[in-house]
mmCIF file of all heavy atoms in Angstrom:
data_model
loop_
_atom_site.group_PDB
_atom_site.id
_atom_site.type_symbol
_atom_site.label_atom_id
_atom_site.label_comp_id
_atom_site.label_asym_id
_atom_site.label_seq_id
_atom_site.Cartn_x
_atom_site.Cartn_y
_atom_site.Cartn_z
ATOM 1 N N TYR A 257 -30.531 7.869 26.262
ATOM 2 C CA TYR A 257 -31.094 6.857 25.373
ATOM 3 C C TYR A 257 -31.284 7.396 23.950
ATOM 4 O O TYR A 257 -31.134 6.651 22.977
ATOM 5 C CB TYR A 257 -32.391 6.274 25.937
ATOM 6 C CG TYR A 257 -32.118 5.206 26.970
ATOM 7 C CD1 TYR A 257 -32.490 5.371 28.298
ATOM 8 C CD2 TYR A 257 -31.450 4.034 26.617
ATOM 9 C CE1 TYR A 257 -32.223 4.391 29.239
ATOM 10 C CE2 TYR A 257 -31.173 3.055 27.559
ATOM 11 C CZ TYR A 257 -31.558 3.234 28.861
ATOM 12 O OH TYR A 257 -31.281 2.266 29.799
ATOM 13 N N CYS A 258 -31.578 8.687 23.816
ATOM 14 C CA CYS A 258 -31.646 9.285 22.472
ATOM 15 C C CYS A 258 -30.306 9.117 21.759
ATOM 16 O O CYS A 258 -30.255 8.735 20.581
ATOM 17 C CB CYS A 258 -32.002 10.767 22.552
ATOM 18 S SG CYS A 258 -33.724 11.114 22.954
ATOM 19 N N GLN A 259 -29.219 9.393 22.461
ATOM 20 C CA GLN A 259 -27.889 9.247 21.869
ATOM 21 C C GLN A 259 -27.573 7.787 21.550
ATOM 22 O O GLN A 259 -26.963 7.485 20.523
ATOM 23 C CB GLN A 259 -26.818 9.838 22.794
ATOM 24 C CG GLN A 259 -26.908 11.341 22.935
ATOM 25 C CD GLN A 259 -26.808 12.037 21.587
ATOM 26 O OE1 GLN A 259 -25.849 11.851 20.853
ATOM 27 N NE2 GLN A 259 -27.819 12.825 21.257
ATOM 28 N N CYS A 260 -27.993 6.879 22.413
ATOM 29 C CA CYS A 260 -27.770 5.454 22.168
ATOM 30 C C CYS A 260 -28.520 4.986 20.919
ATOM 31 O O CYS A 260 -27.991 4.206 20.117
ATOM 32 C CB CYS A 260 -28.201 4.619 23.370
ATOM 33 S SG CYS A 260 -27.164 4.842 24.831
ATOM 34 N N ILE A 261 -29.746 5.452 20.752
ATOM 35 C CA ILE A 261 -30.527 5.089 19.566
ATOM 36 C C ILE A 261 -29.851 5.638 18.319
ATOM 37 O O ILE A 261 -29.645 4.918 17.333
ATOM 38 C CB ILE A 261 -31.985 5.594 19.695
ATOM 39 C CG1 ILE A 261 -32.714 4.814 20.796
ATOM 40 C CG2 ILE A 261 -32.719 5.485 18.356
ATOM 41 C CD1 ILE A 261 -34.053 5.403 21.207
ATOM 42 N N GLU A 262 -29.472 6.922 18.335
ATOM 43 C CA GLU A 262 -28.828 7.544 17.175
ATOM 44 C C GLU A 262 -27.504 6.866 16.822
ATOM 45 O O GLU A 262 -27.114 6.826 15.659
ATOM 46 C CB GLU A 262 -28.608 9.033 17.416
ATOM 47 C CG GLU A 262 -29.885 9.835 17.351
ATOM 48 C CD GLU A 262 -29.648 11.337 17.395
ATOM 49 O OE1 GLU A 262 -28.515 11.790 17.121
ATOM 50 O OE2 GLU A 262 -30.613 12.057 17.681
ATOM 51 N N ALA A 263 -26.811 6.334 17.803
ATOM 52 C CA ALA A 263 -25.524 5.668 17.560
ATOM 53 C C ALA A 263 -25.684 4.410 16.701
ATOM 54 O O ALA A 263 -24.700 3.871 16.204
ATOM 55 C CB ALA A 263 -24.860 5.318 18.890
ATOM 56 N N ASN A 264 -26.908 3.975 16.485
ATOM 57 C CA ASN A 264 -27.169 2.784 15.679
ATOM 58 C C ASN A 264 -27.525 3.101 14.228
ATOM 59 O O ASN A 264 -27.910 2.200 13.479
ATOM 60 C CB ASN A 264 -28.293 1.963 16.322
ATOM 61 C CG ASN A 264 -27.800 1.183 17.505
ATOM 62 O OD1 ASN A 264 -27.230 0.115 17.356
ATOM 63 N ND2 ASN A 264 -27.995 1.745 18.697
ATOM 64 N N ARG A 265 -27.373 4.347 13.808
ATOM 65 C CA ARG A 265 -27.697 4.736 12.426
ATOM 66 C C ARG A 265 -26.972 3.884 11.396
ATOM 67 O O ARG A 265 -27.500 3.600 10.335
ATOM 68 C CB ARG A 265 -27.326 6.197 12.184
ATOM 69 C CG ARG A 265 -28.284 7.171 12.742
ATOM 70 C CD ARG A 265 -27.858 8.571 12.393
ATOM 71 N NE ARG A 265 -28.885 9.492 12.828
ATOM 72 C CZ ARG A 265 -28.673 10.760 13.060
ATOM 73 N NH1 ARG A 265 -27.472 11.281 12.887
ATOM 74 N NH2 ARG A 265 -29.658 11.536 13.461
ATOM 75 N N PHE A 266 -25.747 3.511 11.697
ATOM 76 C CA PHE A 266 -24.942 2.761 10.736
ATOM 77 C C PHE A 266 -25.575 1.424 10.357
ATOM 78 O O PHE A 266 -25.233 0.832 9.337
ATOM 79 C CB PHE A 266 -23.523 2.528 11.289
ATOM 80 C CG PHE A 266 -23.456 1.495 12.376
ATOM 81 C CD1 PHE A 266 -23.153 0.172 12.074
ATOM 82 C CD2 PHE A 266 -23.705 1.834 13.705
ATOM 83 C CE1 PHE A 266 -23.097 -0.790 13.074
ATOM 84 C CE2 PHE A 266 -23.645 0.879 14.708
ATOM 85 C CZ PHE A 266 -23.339 -0.440 14.394
ATOM 86 N N ARG A 267 -26.501 0.944 11.152
ATOM 87 C CA ARG A 267 -27.142 -0.345 10.890
ATOM 88 C C ARG A 267 -28.194 -0.266 9.786
ATOM 89 O O ARG A 267 -28.708 -1.288 9.333
ATOM 90 C CB ARG A 267 -27.810 -0.871 12.157
ATOM 91 C CG ARG A 267 -26.852 -1.138 13.286
ATOM 92 C CD ARG A 267 -27.598 -1.653 14.516
ATOM 93 N NE ARG A 267 -26.727 -1.762 15.644
ATOM 94 C CZ ARG A 267 -25.887 -2.777 15.869
ATOM 95 N NH1 ARG A 267 -25.814 -3.757 15.011
ATOM 96 N NH2 ARG A 267 -25.121 -2.786 16.935
ATOM 97 N N TYR A 268 -28.563 0.934 9.370
ATOM 98 C CA TYR A 268 -29.661 1.126 8.429
ATOM 99 C C TYR A 268 -29.172 1.842 7.182
ATOM 100 O O TYR A 268 -28.186 2.567 7.207
ATOM 101 C CB TYR A 268 -30.778 1.939 9.099
ATOM 102 C CG TYR A 268 -31.299 1.254 10.327
ATOM 103 C CD1 TYR A 268 -30.749 1.514 11.577
ATOM 104 C CD2 TYR A 268 -32.314 0.322 10.243
ATOM 105 C CE1 TYR A 268 -31.206 0.859 12.710
ATOM 106 C CE2 TYR A 268 -32.779 -0.337 11.370
ATOM 107 C CZ TYR A 268 -32.224 -0.063 12.594
ATOM 108 O OH TYR A 268 -32.673 -0.711 13.701
ATOM 109 N N SER A 269 -29.911 1.653 6.086
ATOM 110 C CA SER A 269 -29.584 2.349 4.846
ATOM 111 C C SER A 269 -30.855 2.558 4.037
ATOM 112 O O SER A 269 -31.854 1.867 4.235
ATOM 113 C CB SER A 269 -28.567 1.540 4.023
ATOM 114 O OG SER A 269 -29.143 0.315 3.622
ATOM 115 N N THR A 270 -30.789 3.508 3.114
ATOM 116 C CA THR A 270 -31.919 3.757 2.238
ATOM 117 C C THR A 270 -32.162 2.513 1.392
ATOM 118 O O THR A 270 -31.232 1.937 0.842
ATOM 119 C CB THR A 270 -31.627 4.964 1.331
ATOM 120 O OG1 THR A 270 -31.259 6.066 2.164
ATOM 121 C CG2 THR A 270 -32.835 5.323 0.507
ATOM 122 N N PHE A 271 -33.377 2.093 1.291
ATOM 123 C CA PHE A 271 -33.800 0.915 0.533
ATOM 124 C C PHE A 271 -33.151 -0.371 1.050
ATOM 125 O O PHE A 271 -33.042 -1.351 0.343
ATOM 126 C CB PHE A 271 -33.513 1.080 -0.964
ATOM 127 C CG PHE A 271 -34.081 2.341 -1.535
ATOM 128 C CD1 PHE A 271 -33.258 3.346 -1.982
ATOM 129 C CD2 PHE A 271 -35.458 2.526 -1.590
ATOM 130 C CE1 PHE A 271 -33.786 4.515 -2.497
ATOM 131 C CE2 PHE A 271 -35.994 3.694 -2.108
ATOM 132 C CZ PHE A 271 -35.154 4.687 -2.554
ATOM 133 N N GLY A 272 -32.705 -0.347 2.296
ATOM 134 C CA GLY A 272 -32.101 -1.534 2.902
ATOM 135 C C GLY A 272 -32.882 -1.904 4.148
ATOM 136 O O GLY A 272 -34.106 -1.943 4.141
ATOM 137 N N ARG A 273 -32.177 -2.118 5.228
ATOM 138 C CA ARG A 273 -32.817 -2.452 6.497
ATOM 139 C C ARG A 273 -33.599 -1.235 6.975
ATOM 140 O O ARG A 273 -33.047 -0.139 7.078
ATOM 141 C CB ARG A 273 -31.747 -2.834 7.512
ATOM 142 C CG ARG A 273 -32.323 -3.337 8.802
ATOM 143 C CD ARG A 273 -31.245 -3.896 9.693
ATOM 144 N NE ARG A 273 -31.834 -4.460 10.876
ATOM 145 C CZ ARG A 273 -31.276 -4.401 12.056
ATOM 146 N NH1 ARG A 273 -30.095 -3.845 12.206
ATOM 147 N NH2 ARG A 273 -31.869 -4.925 13.103
ATOM 148 N N GLU A 274 -34.858 -1.442 7.284
ATOM 149 C CA GLU A 274 -35.727 -0.335 7.671
ATOM 150 C C GLU A 274 -35.903 -0.272 9.179
ATOM 151 O O GLU A 274 -36.149 -1.276 9.827
ATOM 152 C CB GLU A 274 -37.085 -0.478 6.992
ATOM 153 C CG GLU A 274 -37.007 -0.410 5.485
ATOM 154 C CD GLU A 274 -38.361 -0.584 4.841
ATOM 155 O OE1 GLU A 274 -39.374 -0.682 5.561
ATOM 156 O OE2 GLU A 274 -38.400 -0.630 3.606
ATOM 157 N N ALA A 275 -35.802 0.933 9.724
ATOM 158 C CA ALA A 275 -35.920 1.122 11.174
ATOM 159 C C ALA A 275 -37.329 0.846 11.679
ATOM 160 O O ALA A 275 -37.491 0.411 12.812
ATOM 161 C CB ALA A 275 -35.491 2.541 11.539
ATOM 162 N N ASN A 276 -38.340 1.078 10.851
ATOM 163 C CA ASN A 276 -39.712 0.873 11.330
ATOM 164 C C ASN A 276 -40.001 -0.598 11.637
ATOM 165 O O ASN A 276 -40.897 -0.908 12.400
ATOM 166 C CB ASN A 276 -40.738 1.429 10.349
ATOM 167 C CG ASN A 276 -40.648 0.807 8.976
ATOM 168 O OD1 ASN A 276 -39.651 0.167 8.625
ATOM 169 N ND2 ASN A 276 -41.673 1.014 8.177
ATOM 170 N N ARG A 277 -39.231 -1.521 11.086
ATOM 171 C CA ARG A 277 -39.439 -2.942 11.342
ATOM 172 C C ARG A 277 -38.607 -3.453 12.518
ATOM 173 O O ARG A 277 -38.943 -4.463 13.120
ATOM 174 C CB ARG A 277 -39.091 -3.759 10.114
ATOM 175 C CG ARG A 277 -40.048 -3.530 8.978
ATOM 176 C CD ARG A 277 -39.744 -4.448 7.853
ATOM 177 N NE ARG A 277 -40.670 -4.189 6.768
ATOM 178 C CZ ARG A 277 -40.831 -4.988 5.753
ATOM 179 N NH1 ARG A 277 -40.128 -6.093 5.667
ATOM 180 N NH2 ARG A 277 -41.680 -4.689 4.813
ATOM 181 N N THR A 278 -37.492 -2.789 12.807
ATOM 182 C CA THR A 278 -36.557 -3.364 13.774
ATOM 183 C C THR A 278 -36.249 -2.481 14.982
ATOM 184 O O THR A 278 -35.529 -2.918 15.867
ATOM 185 C CB THR A 278 -35.222 -3.699 13.075
ATOM 186 O OG1 THR A 278 -34.688 -2.508 12.506
ATOM 187 C CG2 THR A 278 -35.427 -4.741 11.987
ATOM 188 N N LEU A 279 -36.786 -1.272 15.030
ATOM 189 C CA LEU A 279 -36.489 -0.379 16.158
ATOM 190 C C LEU A 279 -36.796 -1.056 17.489
ATOM 191 O O LEU A 279 -36.007 -0.991 18.429
ATOM 192 C CB LEU A 279 -37.263 0.932 16.051
ATOM 193 C CG LEU A 279 -37.079 1.894 17.225
ATOM 194 C CD1 LEU A 279 -35.646 2.409 17.277
ATOM 195 C CD2 LEU A 279 -38.059 3.040 17.149
ATOM 196 N N ARG A 280 -37.898 -1.734 17.582
ATOM 197 C CA ARG A 280 -38.303 -2.340 18.864
ATOM 198 C C ARG A 280 -37.308 -3.373 19.366
ATOM 199 O O ARG A 280 -37.196 -3.611 20.547
ATOM 200 C CB ARG A 280 -39.705 -2.912 18.774
ATOM 201 C CG ARG A 280 -39.901 -4.062 17.840
ATOM 202 C CD ARG A 280 -41.320 -4.547 17.675
ATOM 203 N NE ARG A 280 -42.489 -4.350 18.467
ATOM 204 C CZ ARG A 280 -42.989 -3.337 19.202
ATOM 205 N NH1 ARG A 280 -42.411 -2.303 19.362
ATOM 206 N NH2 ARG A 280 -44.102 -3.336 19.813
ATOM 207 N N ASP A 281 -36.546 -3.995 18.451
ATOM 208 C CA ASP A 281 -35.584 -5.020 18.841
ATOM 209 C C ASP A 281 -34.152 -4.503 18.957
ATOM 210 O O ASP A 281 -33.244 -5.270 19.280
ATOM 211 C CB ASP A 281 -35.613 -6.175 17.831
ATOM 212 C CG ASP A 281 -36.957 -6.880 17.824
ATOM 213 O OD1 ASP A 281 -37.541 -7.052 18.914
ATOM 214 O OD2 ASP A 281 -37.429 -7.240 16.731
ATOM 215 N N LEU A 282 -33.956 -3.224 18.684
ATOM 216 C CA LEU A 282 -32.624 -2.618 18.780
ATOM 217 C C LEU A 282 -32.122 -2.742 20.222
ATOM 218 O O LEU A 282 -32.865 -2.463 21.166
ATOM 219 C CB LEU A 282 -32.712 -1.149 18.381
ATOM 220 C CG LEU A 282 -31.418 -0.415 18.138
ATOM 221 C CD1 LEU A 282 -30.711 -0.970 16.906
ATOM 222 C CD2 LEU A 282 -31.725 1.057 17.923
#
């Protein structure tokens, strides 16, 4: 699951979509 979470890095960017708001829905 750690690898699955990391595989979603492309969905986020600096000053863009923030992981703290959407991690729970990933």
Side-chain angles (χ1 to χ4, degrees):
Y257 279 116
C258 286
Q259 293 303 304
C260 292
I261 291 168
E262 287 188 19
N264 283 278
R265 282 183 174 158
F266 74 94
R267 298 180 187 279
Y268 301 91
S269 64
T270 306
F271 307 113
R273 186 171 184 216
E274 297 179 4
N276 59 344
R277 292 186 181 194
T278 59
L279 177 66
R280 65 185 342 36
D281 296 321
L282 192 67

